[in-house]
Amino acid sequence: MFSYEFMRNAFAAGTIIAVICGIMGVFVIARNMSFLTHTLSEIGFSGAAFGIFAGWTPLSGMLLFTVVSSVIVGQLSVRAERREAATSAISALFIGLGILFLSLANTNASYATNILFGSVIGISSSDVTQMLVLSILVLIVVLVIYRFLKFDSFDHTGALVKGLWTNTLSVTFLVLLALSVSVAAQIVGSLLIFILLTLPAATAKYFAHSVGRMMGLAILLALVGVWSGLALSYVTNYPVSFFIAAIEALFYFIALGWQHAQTAAKN
């Protein structure tokens, strides 16, 4: 399996993606942004389609669209009562644009499928390098704002009382999330990226009770899902995104069962 360059690239990219998604996912769950993550994944599809139409790489188009739209969403959804409506409106617009750009680009169905659901074969060494650079950038920014981001994510009311710059933090986090979506979509596809950005962290919260441990466990779960998914995809020739989704969903249901058993034991 590792004698093929595309598999070595896929595992390198998958490792990068798992680390980023494990860290960012903890904040996504804490900030109740699972729906917004799904929206950014749809916007990523539109951006990738635009990149193909414009003669760019899909990743370049994703970066442009997700970063710009994350800032727009951040500004439109400052008030919680209009957050879902604003997110839904932007999601619908960008899905329509994605279909339009794919049509104008005269792209065949298989290429469109790769954008939506990911492709192991399409990962090159330059893609891995670009993903690594973007991931390091995200990690550096997260490290710089970590203390403030953790406070705002897990105690938003307290952050407001303390006068923390919550709006700026929110927009900054959305931009970081947009970068993470663009990076991770290379493996699992633009429409399934929310799986890695939500399920490992959602599972980890049932077993870990500190932010650091949640991140560590979320990274581990994401790594297991990505590595196992890549190996199973190689052996069976089925889409890698299916295996990743199934494995992460299985972990989540196991966590739910364990939590239910713990609750029943206490009662």
Side-chain angles (χ1 to χ4, degrees):
M1 178 169 63
F2 289 107
S3 61
Y4 296 102
E5 183 183 3
F6 74 89
M7 285 305 297
R8 294 196 298 271
N9 291 336
F11 269 87
T15 301
I16 295 169
I17 288 167
V19 173
I20 286 295
C21 289
I23 293 172
M24 294 296 293
V26 170
F27 294 112
V28 167
I29 296 301
R31 300 173 77 89
N32 296 316
M33 285 187 169
S34 298
F35 179 58
L36 182 55
T37 302
H38 180 60
T39 299
L40 282 176
S41 69
E42 293 166 345
I43 292 171
F45 156 66
S46 179
F50 175 77
I52 295 169
F53 169 70
W56 304 350
T57 63
L59 179 57
S60 299
M62 281 186 183
L63 286 171
L64 174 64
F65 272 49
T66 55
V67 170
V68 171
S69 62
S70 67
V71 175
I72 296 173
V73 169
Q75 294 299 321
L76 289 178
S77 60
V78 169
R79 294 174 59 184
E81 61 268 21
R82 68 184 183 192
R83 180 175 298 139
E84 288 193 9
T87 303
S88 298
I90 292 173
S91 173
L93 171 63
F94 277 94
I95 289 176
L97 287 174
I99 295 170
L100 172 64
F101 289 135
L102 280 179
S103 176
L104 292 175
N106 295 319
T107 306
N108 60 40
S110 62
Y111 205 104
T113 302
N114 289 342
I115 295 174
L116 291 170
F117 303 109
S119 173
V120 177
I121 300 176
I123 304 295
S124 65
S125 298
S126 60
D127 290 332
V128 174
T129 301
Q130 191 173 15
M131 293 165 66
L132 180 61
V133 171
L134 289 172
S135 300
I136 291 173
L137 175 63
V138 170
L139 290 176
I140 289 173
V141 177
V142 169
L143 184 62
V144 170
I145 65 172
Y146 176 77
R147 186 165 61 91
F148 306 106
L149 184 61
K150 182 173 73 170
F151 188 17
D152 184 44
S153 299
F154 290 89
D155 186 10
H156 182 65
T157 302
L160 289 173
V161 171
K162 288 286 187 179
L164 200 63
W165 24 286
T166 54
N167 289 344
T168 302
L169 272 175
S170 179
V171 173
T172 302
F173 177 74
L174 286 174
V175 172
L176 294 175
L177 186 59
L179 294 175
S180 303
V181 165
S182 298
V183 167
Q186 307 306 300
I187 288 286
V188 295
S190 61
L191 292 189
L192 293 177
I193 180 52
F194 67 93
I195 293 168
L196 284 177
L197 278 166
T198 55
L199 287 185
T203 303
K205 75 177 183 180
Y206 290 109
F207 299 104
H209 303 291
S210 70
V211 178
R213 289 181 179 178
M214 282 178 63
M215 285 183 179
L217 183 55
I219 290 172
L220 177 61
L221 292 171
L223 282 172
V224 172
V226 171
W227 287 346
S228 301
L230 287 170
L232 290 170
S233 177
Y234 175 80
V235 172
T236 63
N237 204 32
Y238 289 138
V240 62
S241 52
F242 160 71
F243 290 112
I244 294 175
I247 291 168
E248 297 300 344
L250 176 62
F251 286 154
Y252 181 68
F253 289 130
I254 290 173
L256 285 180
W258 183 83
Q259 179 70 13
H260 179 73
Q262 291 290 104
T263 303
K266 291 178 180 178
N267 295 333

